[in-house]
Amino acid sequence: MEAIKETNFSFAGQTGFYRGKVRDVYYFEDRLAVVATDRISAFDVVLPRAIPYKGQVLNQIASINLKATSDLVPNWVLSTPDPNVTIGYRCEPYKVEMVIRGYLAGHAWREYKAGKRSVCGVALPEGLRENDKLPEPIITPTTKADEGHDEDISREEILAKGIVSEQEYIKLEAYTRALFARGSELAAKRGLILVDTKYEFGSYNGEVYLIDEIHTPDSSRYFYLEGYQERQQNGESQKQLSKEFVRQWLIENGFQGKEDQAIPEMTDEVVNSISDRYIELYEVFTGQPFHKESYDNVLSRIENHIEENIFNDKN
């Protein structure tokens, strides 16, 4: 099975390169080109096999959502010249990720189940069950680690450590709530519930910009709206579209990212099933059939599209 594991380009005018967990980033003076590869990570570990079409799904869903929220907050995007590429402004990232949760799921549920009644300094009421809707969305930030694991952090700790100024943080919170409300509206139109998600922000010319991807299956968790109430009442698992099923598969096979744990074998069947789930989310979210771009000469295609567009002015 073909997939984009990594890229290794060298461009005229390039000033740097960074390989993230799933993206390859090419830096230029005040711009960057981000390649959404098919790598997949979970528990902050890059898994050994890439997932066909995952990068295309992420890049295209992110592009749709960044356009749909550009009236709420300025974002970094200048163009998306390739199914796997986004070109935009080179912002200075804030060292926090703004996680917002409308439902008790995933990491927050695991903390709650372990007996904790606050997450990142935010109090949670007694008597909640997994996947219950919270009284109101809560913001549970994490540190943005260059290497290793992101860590939960409270608003108070962020301000006390001077990671972000209070004035900036107030703006980040307001943008986060506005984006989550818009994302929830967009999801509902497609029969989905936006359960939780994360946003990353950066500074460009002294202004706060939304950066990275938004509302993708890597950054967000979705439930199907139809049947949600019935499943909750019956104590059943929710039907969801997110990367959580990958984490659950890893947990069931003895892996949670700890040093002494081995990543389970990713068979062709597992890889194909993950690919199918990503494509399913794209089709449900957009209401359009997914067009599988050819992997023939894919690296040359990506390289050419970056070269042709990196210095173009914004349309």
Side-chain angles (χ1 to χ4, degrees), residues 28-42:
F28 299 82
E29 291 178 2
D30 66 338
R31 302 186 180 196
L32 46 77
V34 178
V35 180
T37 74
D38 294 324
R39 295 193 296 271
I40 188 169
S41 71

Side-chain angles (χ1 to χ4, degrees), residues 40 42-43 51 217-218 221 240-253 269-281:
I40 188 169
F43 299 113
I51 307 300
D218 269 21
R221 189 190 323 270
Q240 63 175 289
L241 282 174
S242 71
K243 201 169 63 172
E244 183 66 17
F245 76 95
V246 178
R247 298 186 191 96
Q248 289 299 327
W249 174 77
L250 289 168
I251 290 170
E252 290 166 6
N253 286 274
E269 182 181 6
V270 169
V271 170
N272 275 328
S273 70
I274 297 172
S275 179
D276 288 344
R277 290 289 287 273
Y278 273 90
I279 291 171
E280 180 186 1
L281 191 140

Side-chain angles (χ1 to χ4, degrees), residues 14-49:
Q14 182 180 330
T15 59
F17 173 77
Y18 171 75
R19 176 161 288 138
K21 295 184 184 75
V22 299
R23 292 173 192 77
D24 291 347
V25 184
Y26 294 86
Y27 295 103
F28 299 82
E29 291 178 2
D30 66 338
R31 302 186 180 196
L32 46 77
V34 178
V35 180
T37 74
D38 294 324
R39 295 193 296 271
I40 188 169
S41 71
F43 299 113
D44 293 318
V45 174
V46 178
L47 302 184
R49 293 189 62 177

